[in-house]
Amino acid sequence: MNKNISDGINFLSKLTAKRVWNAVKVVSSFYSSKLTGKPNTWGLPISISFEPTTSCNLRCPECPSGLRSFTRPTGMLSSGLFKQTIDELSDTLLYLIFYFQGEPYLHPQFLELVGYASQKGIYTATSTNAHYLSDEQAKKTVESGLDRLIISIDGTSQEVYQQYRVGGKLNKVIEGTKHIVKWKKALKSSTPHIIFQFLVVKPNQHQIEEVKLLAKELGVDEVGLKTAQIYDYANGSELIPTIDKYARYARQNDGSYTIKNKLVNHCWKMWHSCVITWDGLVVPCCFDKDAHFRLGDMKTQSFTKLWNDQAYNDFRKTLIKSRSQIEMCKNCTEGTQVWA
């Protein structure tokens, strides 16, 4: 069976009557909000992202973790906080992403948390730089029930790879990938669905076909080619690809750059998903990397209450009225295509 079809069937197997009904309410409330200009919320999120940690072993140039540029503290997610939230949302939650900032495998209980969510029938996914996928950790990963494993591999040679993954070792990524593939076969498991994520930047754009061949050789299920977010893009960057379809930004006649995406006054993410930081802060989406827009705190209130609270609805209302007033939205690519 085609690996993508197998992954799709696995995802659909997580559907229950409560989750389907919740999704119907979420979709309906989103379109109602667009039509009326009022922030209606009739369900709970279909998907959430939980941040295991802000710690990272690499120093990638367009990543706050890599640059060590956070104003918020670095720490590890409490298993109690995580389980409390999952217990509250598990009936309606369909998709759980174990990633925001940092390297998830640095969290000592990471795979235990994955297992807890998997046992509740939630589709689980994470993204890793694969430097900690030892043989033992790979076995535990497969056993945890993790459904999707995104492995960042931004080059097929060490020289190219290290230009973005500063401090990283390509041989560790390949070794970790082999361990996962090996244990999937040994344990006769169809999961996790392994994706090589290739962040297309100017230094590696010539290796796109090579990463596809490498993935096939190693037994990786899928390759995803992702466009790169550049923070200071207006005057250009050595990271912006010259292959136009892989660039989020368009060069203007005067040499400056603008984002291709049109800033429309709505955002699906504000109705169907959110991000929870390692210390329990609830923020709108993955673009709020430093948690400037804090819409609630799981340490002091239930998720259901904060999801429907005034602060959240005020933020949704601003999106509907004038999204350009929100600074982080100006460099957002919601609605643009990720090329694969």
PDB file of all heavy atoms in Angstrom, residues 59-73:
ATOM      1  N   ARG A  59      22.055  25.651  16.291  1.00  0.00           N
ATOM      2  CA  ARG A  59      21.995  27.118  16.255  1.00  0.00           C
ATOM      3  C   ARG A  59      21.564  27.607  14.871  1.00  0.00           C
ATOM      4  O   ARG A  59      22.273  28.366  14.205  1.00  0.00           O
ATOM      5  CB  ARG A  59      23.352  27.724  16.657  1.00  0.00           C
ATOM      6  CG  ARG A  59      23.685  27.535  18.134  1.00  0.00           C
ATOM      7  CD  ARG A  59      24.976  28.242  18.527  1.00  0.00           C
ATOM      8  NE  ARG A  59      25.205  28.218  19.960  1.00  0.00           N
ATOM      9  CZ  ARG A  59      24.771  29.135  20.825  1.00  0.00           C
ATOM     10  NH1 ARG A  59      24.057  30.155  20.361  1.00  0.00           N
ATOM     11  NH2 ARG A  59      25.034  29.049  22.096  1.00  0.00           N
ATOM     12  N   CYS A  60      20.400  27.181  14.457  1.00  0.00           N
ATOM     13  CA  CYS A  60      19.898  27.556  13.132  1.00  0.00           C
ATOM     14  C   CYS A  60      19.628  29.063  13.069  1.00  0.00           C
ATOM     15  O   CYS A  60      19.066  29.632  14.003  1.00  0.00           O
ATOM     16  CB  CYS A  60      18.625  26.772  12.818  1.00  0.00           C
ATOM     17  SG  CYS A  60      18.857  24.982  12.941  1.00  0.00           S
ATOM     18  N   PRO A  61      20.010  29.724  11.971  1.00  0.00           N
ATOM     19  CA  PRO A  61      20.029  31.187  11.914  1.00  0.00           C
ATOM     20  C   PRO A  61      18.671  31.883  11.909  1.00  0.00           C
ATOM     21  O   PRO A  61      18.597  33.069  12.211  1.00  0.00           O
ATOM     22  CB  PRO A  61      20.790  31.479  10.617  1.00  0.00           C
ATOM     23  CG  PRO A  61      20.635  30.249   9.792  1.00  0.00           C
ATOM     24  CD  PRO A  61      20.609  29.122  10.762  1.00  0.00           C
ATOM     25  N   GLU A  62      17.586  31.197  11.557  1.00  0.00           N
ATOM     26  CA  GLU A  62      16.269  31.843  11.559  1.00  0.00           C
ATOM     27  C   GLU A  62      15.355  31.238  12.628  1.00  0.00           C
ATOM     28  O   GLU A  62      14.140  31.267  12.503  1.00  0.00           O
ATOM     29  CB  GLU A  62      15.613  31.731  10.179  1.00  0.00           C
ATOM     30  CG  GLU A  62      16.310  32.545   9.102  1.00  0.00           C
ATOM     31  CD  GLU A  62      16.205  34.057   9.320  1.00  0.00           C
ATOM     32  OE1 GLU A  62      15.168  34.515   9.821  1.00  0.00           O
ATOM     33  OE2 GLU A  62      17.176  34.765   8.987  1.00  0.00           O
ATOM     34  N   CYS A  63      15.947  30.737  13.688  1.00  0.00           N
ATOM     35  CA  CYS A  63      15.188  30.089  14.769  1.00  0.00           C
ATOM     36  C   CYS A  63      15.535  30.726  16.108  1.00  0.00           C
ATOM     37  O   CYS A  63      16.716  30.811  16.470  1.00  0.00           O
ATOM     38  CB  CYS A  63      15.509  28.597  14.798  1.00  0.00           C
ATOM     39  SG  CYS A  63      14.767  27.731  16.187  1.00  0.00           S
ATOM     40  N   PRO A  64      14.539  31.185  16.885  1.00  0.00           N
ATOM     41  CA  PRO A  64      14.815  31.783  18.194  1.00  0.00           C
ATOM     42  C   PRO A  64      15.551  30.843  19.136  1.00  0.00           C
ATOM     43  O   PRO A  64      16.389  31.287  19.926  1.00  0.00           O
ATOM     44  CB  PRO A  64      13.423  32.122  18.733  1.00  0.00           C
ATOM     45  CG  PRO A  64      12.564  32.260  17.528  1.00  0.00           C
ATOM     46  CD  PRO A  64      13.100  31.251  16.540  1.00  0.00           C
ATOM     47  N   SER A  65      15.235  29.530  19.061  1.00  0.00           N
ATOM     48  CA  SER A  65      15.955  28.568  19.904  1.00  0.00           C
ATOM     49  C   SER A  65      17.425  28.528  19.508  1.00  0.00           C
ATOM     50  O   SER A  65      18.319  28.542  20.358  1.00  0.00           O
ATOM     51  CB  SER A  65      15.348  27.168  19.765  1.00  0.00           C
ATOM     52  OG  SER A  65      14.079  27.102  20.347  1.00  0.00           O
ATOM     53  N   GLY A  66      17.662  28.473  18.202  1.00  0.00           N
ATOM     54  CA  GLY A  66      19.035  28.417  17.714  1.00  0.00           C
ATOM     55  C   GLY A  66      19.817  29.688  18.004  1.00  0.00           C
ATOM     56  O   GLY A  66      20.998  29.648  18.332  1.00  0.00           O
ATOM     57  N   LEU A  67      19.135  30.824  17.895  1.00  0.00           N
ATOM     58  CA  LEU A  67      19.794  32.112  18.128  1.00  0.00           C
ATOM     59  C   LEU A  67      19.909  32.455  19.607  1.00  0.00           C
ATOM     60  O   LEU A  67      20.548  33.448  19.970  1.00  0.00           O
ATOM     61  CB  LEU A  67      19.005  33.220  17.409  1.00  0.00           C
ATOM     62  CG  LEU A  67      18.998  33.162  15.879  1.00  0.00           C
ATOM     63  CD1 LEU A  67      18.001  34.162  15.318  1.00  0.00           C
ATOM     64  CD2 LEU A  67      20.397  33.422  15.330  1.00  0.00           C
ATOM     65  N   ARG A  68      19.226  31.647  20.456  1.00  0.00           N
ATOM     66  CA  ARG A  68      19.163  31.924  21.903  1.00  0.00           C
ATOM     67  C   ARG A  68      18.626  33.333  22.145  1.00  0.00           C
ATOM     68  O   ARG A  68      19.133  34.081  22.974  1.00  0.00           O
ATOM     69  CB  ARG A  68      20.527  31.755  22.564  1.00  0.00           C
ATOM     70  CG  ARG A  68      21.312  30.482  22.228  1.00  0.00           C
ATOM     71  CD  ARG A  68      20.560  29.199  22.519  1.00  0.00           C
ATOM     72  NE  ARG A  68      21.428  28.029  22.540  1.00  0.00           N
ATOM     73  CZ  ARG A  68      21.521  27.128  21.565  1.00  0.00           C
ATOM     74  NH1 ARG A  68      20.810  27.280  20.448  1.00  0.00           N
ATOM     75  NH2 ARG A  68      22.304  26.079  21.698  1.00  0.00           N
ATOM     76  N   SER A  69      17.576  33.683  21.391  1.00  0.00           N
ATOM     77  CA  SER A  69      17.077  35.064  21.427  1.00  0.00           C
ATOM     78  C   SER A  69      15.749  35.218  22.162  1.00  0.00           C
ATOM     79  O   SER A  69      15.131  36.271  22.118  1.00  0.00           O
ATOM     80  CB  SER A  69      16.905  35.573  19.988  1.00  0.00           C
ATOM     81  OG  SER A  69      15.944  34.795  19.288  1.00  0.00           O
ATOM     82  N   PHE A  70      15.279  34.174  22.849  1.00  0.00           N
ATOM     83  CA  PHE A  70      14.025  34.269  23.577  1.00  0.00           C
ATOM     84  C   PHE A  70      14.104  35.273  24.721  1.00  0.00           C
ATOM     85  O   PHE A  70      15.134  35.416  25.373  1.00  0.00           O
ATOM     86  CB  PHE A  70      13.657  32.909  24.192  1.00  0.00           C
ATOM     87  CG  PHE A  70      13.129  31.909  23.217  1.00  0.00           C
ATOM     88  CD1 PHE A  70      13.738  30.674  23.071  1.00  0.00           C
ATOM     89  CD2 PHE A  70      12.014  32.187  22.451  1.00  0.00           C
ATOM     90  CE1 PHE A  70      13.246  29.741  22.187  1.00  0.00           C
ATOM     91  CE2 PHE A  70      11.516  31.266  21.553  1.00  0.00           C
ATOM     92  CZ  PHE A  70      12.135  30.042  21.426  1.00  0.00           C
ATOM     93  N   THR A  71      12.978  35.948  24.960  1.00  0.00           N
ATOM     94  CA  THR A  71      12.861  36.707  26.206  1.00  0.00           C
ATOM     95  C   THR A  71      12.165  35.852  27.260  1.00  0.00           C
ATOM     96  O   THR A  71      12.294  36.111  28.452  1.00  0.00           O
ATOM     97  CB  THR A  71      12.059  38.012  26.010  1.00  0.00           C
ATOM     98  OG1 THR A  71      10.731  37.684  25.548  1.00  0.00           O
ATOM     99  CG2 THR A  71      12.721  38.914  24.986  1.00  0.00           C
ATOM    100  N   ARG A  72      11.422  34.832  26.817  1.00  0.00           N
ATOM    101  CA  ARG A  72      10.783  33.935  27.778  1.00  0.00           C
ATOM    102  C   ARG A  72      11.779  32.879  28.244  1.00  0.00           C
ATOM    103  O   ARG A  72      12.761  32.581  27.556  1.00  0.00           O
ATOM    104  CB  ARG A  72       9.536  33.288  27.178  1.00  0.00           C
ATOM    105  CG  ARG A  72       9.729  32.426  25.957  1.00  0.00           C
ATOM    106  CD  ARG A  72       8.384  32.036  25.372  1.00  0.00           C
ATOM    107  NE  ARG A  72       8.475  31.247  24.158  1.00  0.00           N
ATOM    108  CZ  ARG A  72       8.350  29.925  24.120  1.00  0.00           C
ATOM    109  NH1 ARG A  72       8.167  29.238  25.240  1.00  0.00           N
ATOM    110  NH2 ARG A  72       8.428  29.289  22.963  1.00  0.00           N
ATOM    111  N   PRO A  73      11.559  32.294  29.415  1.00  0.00           N
ATOM    112  CA  PRO A  73      12.527  31.347  29.978  1.00  0.00           C
ATOM    113  C   PRO A  73      12.580  30.020  29.232  1.00  0.00           C
ATOM    114  O   PRO A  73      11.636  29.636  28.542  1.00  0.00           O
ATOM    115  CB  PRO A  73      12.022  31.141  31.413  1.00  0.00           C
ATOM    116  CG  PRO A  73      10.551  31.428  31.344  1.00  0.00           C
ATOM    117  CD  PRO A  73      10.428  32.535  30.333  1.00  0.00           C
TER     118      PRO A  73
END
